[in-house]
Amino acid sequence: MSKQTYRVCFCFHRRFRLAVTEAPAEIKDLFSQYSENGIMNADRLRNFLIEVQKQEKATELEAQAIIDQLRHIHRKGLNLEAFFKYLFSDSNLPFKSQTVHHDMNAPLSHYFIYTGHNSYLTGNQLSSDCSDVPIKQALERGVRVIELDLWPNAAKDNVDVLHGRTLTTPVELLKCLKCIKEHAFTASKYPVVITLEDHLTPDLQAKVAQMVTQTFEDILFTPGPESLKEFPSPESLKGRIIISTKPPKEYLETKEVKEKENDAQKGKVSGDESAWGKEVTHQESMSVLDDKHDLDEEDHNEEEDLDYGDAKSQQHEAPEYKRLITIHAGKPKGGLQECFKVDPDKVRRLSLSEQQLEKAVTTYGKEIVRFTQRNILRVYPKGTRIDSSNYNPLIGWTHGAQMVAFNMQGHGRSLWLMQGMFRANGECGYVKKPDFLLKTEPHNEVFDPKVKLPVKKTLKVTVYMGEGWYYDFRHTHFDAYSPPDFYARVGIAGVPADTVMKKTKTLEDNWVPTWNEEFEFPLTVPELALLRIEVHEYDMSEKDDFGGQTCIPVSELRSGIRAVPLHNEKGEKYPSVKLLMRFEYF
């Protein structure tokens, strides 16, 4: 390192350590209020934690532990620099709890479950490789539902996993099963569901049954011969693997490459997910259709219809395969209205594409909520999303859909919402649905997602400042010859009435931007609201540069002044980049 370079770096780091001088006036005022002669002792820090941070149960012992961690800055207590460092530290994160704290003893249908779609694909939906690697990555991120598409191999004597009618290269089923067993419970001890999209002959189904039982052995949960009247709880299924599928009535042969190419051409109308993706919106008013064609328009590559009691169709199924199934999947005949009928003696899983759900909610919103109180609804991306982009998950969640299935291969705002939702409940992959989605009133009434409700609470957000970009980015990343020009976007994703994004001013030439701006968000359904935060760097001539993002469930958000870590486009936390923010409710 040259003397000149060393001098520049030394000067910057010295300046950065003195960034406390740039601390917002409100922070300095609070320090003055809770300190004496420039020092905050344990008793005064405890008062700060109770009165400002709303940590009502804070003790003097806890306050002293914070002081002890920062003793290298000042021995007798917190001076302004140490106080500022505490506010920006990992011990002052915005989450109420980083452990599992929801009731985990209710049926599976009472939870939103972190769900993957085509979990074996490494990239796009048309021509990427199939592999066990993305399955491992998904499980390590806490995904709890893994989807595998099963097809006969070229010799018709074994089973491959691949995306049918495309140019994706296959991976052996056994390799995927072994990967699931090895990594299923690294991020969470709660159950992993394997959803099988099955295009197999009965002899290959029998082979799958053998592979599944031999691979998972005693961690495989099998429900017995009777259909379940109610799903088991996540707590009772800890450390277990469960299977969800509907055996097909007939063998579905793969199509020729020419048809695959035609499908590829049709699939080029997908959403833009480049850079950080287009803004997430709620569905526009859809035409109300209720016919069989509407229901089946995208089901050529999904599960088959249910045939309850059809002995002729069942005699071709491998019985050992059928015995594996805990969550029975399929669609009853008769269109959308029949789909959402609740059987008091059986529970099942229904799958709809994002488009089918958007159409269904215009007419059957309350019926879907009632259905999902006992049964499981899975929503999957439309077939034209060949770039592995995603849709707005709130449409499914506001109607109680447990398995909102996402392509995990890319990135973008929709996926950030998914990652944000499952930062709740200790990131265990299961989030208890709000009570209003589980409750039936005395007159059989359920929550109506269409009704605009009164404001329940207002969240006030103050964006003070940010730091850490200088450490985590190349110093020429944003601008070759000057510091970056940062602005922040803050908003809510939730029911349509609550959904909004707001923006701070742009601060020119500053690695440590101090915005000091307040925003208020009236919330009608705070239980389903996600706080969205993004930072971008303004670029006059090109698209603005990405500077970080995060998404946090409002229900998990602690009041007070908090250090909010930002993540990259893929959802990976930056080592240093954080915002200092304040959250207040009234």
Side-chain angles (χ1 to χ4, degrees), residues 13-196:
H13 285 287
R14 183 172 177 276
R15 178 189 171 280
F16 200 78
R17 283 198 305 272
L18 296 176
V20 65
T21 60
E22 301 174 19
E26 187 177 341
I27 302 295
K28 292 178 181 176
D29 290 344
L30 282 168
F31 180 77
S32 297
Q33 184 182 337
Y34 287 92
S35 65
E36 186 175 23
N37 298 322
I39 297 296
M40 189 183 288
N41 63 20
D43 181 56
R44 290 174 174 272
L45 176 56
R46 175 180 171 272
N47 291 339
F48 170 80
L49 294 176
I50 292 171
E51 295 168 16
V52 178
Q53 303 295 73
K54 306 303 180 187
Q55 295 171 222
E56 290 85 0
K57 296 180 181 178
T59 65
E60 195 166 324
L61 205 62
E62 290 169 337
Q64 186 61 52
I66 293 170
I67 291 171
D68 290 344
Q69 288 172 5
L70 297 162
R71 194 170 289 282
H72 61 283
I73 298 177
H74 198 285
R75 286 182 300 168
K76 294 183 179 179
L78 300 183
N79 61 7
L80 179 57
E81 182 185 351
F83 177 66
F84 199 52
K85 190 158 188 173
Y86 153 67
L87 290 178
F88 257 116
S89 73
D90 285 342
S91 59
N92 187 39
L93 298 177
F95 289 94
K96 285 180 182 174
S97 174
Q98 292 178 276
T99 59
V100 175
H101 57 279
H102 293 181
D103 172 16
M104 302 302 284
N105 291 295
L108 287 175
S109 54
H110 288 206
Y111 300 84
F112 299 129
I113 310 173
Y114 204 173
T115 301
H117 175 254
N118 290 348
S119 307
Y120 48 86
L121 288 178
T122 55
N124 70 63
Q125 304 285 308
L126 181 66
S127 60
S128 67
D129 291 336
C130 301
S131 168
D132 60 334
V133 173
I135 295 172
K136 172 180 178 287
Q137 292 170 338
L139 291 168
E140 288 176 343
R141 286 195 300 269
V143 172
R144 298 288 86 193
V145 183
I146 299 295
E147 184 187 31
L148 303 177
D149 293 5
L150 309 184
W151 294 84
N153 67 354
K156 307 288 192 288
D157 62 355
N158 210 335
V159 181
D160 279 341
V161 173
L162 77 153
H163 194 199
R165 301 200 239 334
T166 68
L167 304 175
T168 55
T169 56
V171 59
E172 288 183 359
L173 170 62
L174 188 58
K175 191 174 184 182
C176 295
L177 296 178
K178 287 179 176 177
C179 175
I180 292 171
K181 183 179 182 182
E182 184 179 352
H183 301 284
F185 305 111
T186 53
S188 168
K189 298 302 178 189
Y190 288 95
V192 169
V193 181
I194 305 176
T195 58
L196 301 177

Side-chain angles (χ1 to χ4, degrees), residues 435-452:
D435 286 343
F436 62 79
L437 285 173
L438 303 169
K439 205 169 52 171
T440 303
E441 300 294 342
H443 299 293
N444 206 29
E445 282 299 297
V446 295
F447 174 70
D448 185 352
K450 281 187 192 165
V451 172
K452 185 173 179 180

Side-chain angles (χ1 to χ4, degrees), residues 370-405:
R370 188 174 283 110
F371 176 84
T372 57
Q373 290 179 347
R374 276 181 45 77
N375 301 282
I376 288 175
L377 176 60
R378 174 177 165 268
V379 186
Y380 58 93
K382 60 187 178 183
T384 54
R385 292 188 180 276
I386 61 169
D387 59 353
S388 294
S389 61
N390 289 296
Y391 51 98
N392 183 357
L394 268 305
I395 300 167
W397 290 332
T398 53
H399 291 82
Q402 298 86 349
M403 295 184 179
V404 177

